[in-house]
Amino acid sequence: MRIAGLVFGLLGGFLGVLAGLLALGIGGLGAAFSAEGTGMVLGGGLGAIVAAAVGLVGAVVVLSRPGASAVLQLLAALAGLIAVSLFWIPSALLFAFGALAAALSRRGRASRQPRG
């Protein structure tokens, strides 16, 4: 299950970076035409890129610390939804599946330890 958490997290992170760049592009285009609220869109794009970075870190640490990975990926999924909402849905789903896989691998590991 850890490999699944890694794959889902990496895919979610890469799609999240693309969503953040898309939001930055739309915000920049709006700023070029002096539209209102472009600062909020640009801030959301930057927030999405930061959330994607947090999710990528969560994906990378899944092999050594699945519990921390699950928390980081869930945090990234929620933060990205707040930052850029609709653009983030594919990444949020991938991060949620990655967090679930990491949490399930943590539970399986604890039950296999010898009692003693």
Side-chain angles (χ1 to χ4, degrees):
M1 291 299 277
R2 291 182 186 194
I3 299 298
L6 175 69
V7 171
F8 282 133
L10 289 176
L11 288 173
F14 291 131
L15 285 178
V17 169
L18 289 176
L21 291 175
L22 181 64
L24 285 174
I26 290 173
L29 189 61
F33 290 109
S34 301
E36 289 184 30
T38 57
M40 185 177 240
V41 176
L42 290 172
L46 289 175
I49 290 174
V50 169
V54 169
L56 283 170
V57 169
V60 170
V61 301
V62 71
L63 298 177
S64 61
R65 297 183 181 266
S69 172
V71 170
L72 287 173
Q73 288 188 46
L74 277 179
L75 181 68
L78 293 175
L81 281 174
I82 291 169
V84 290
S85 58
L86 192 60
F87 291 144
W88 194 263
I89 289 176
S91 296
L93 290 174
L94 288 169
F95 278 137
F97 290 145
L100 180 66
L104 290 177
S105 72
R106 177 181 164 91
R107 185 184 62 136
R109 179 178 178 210
S111 65
R112 286 189 216 135
Q113 291 180 348
R115 297 179 188 182

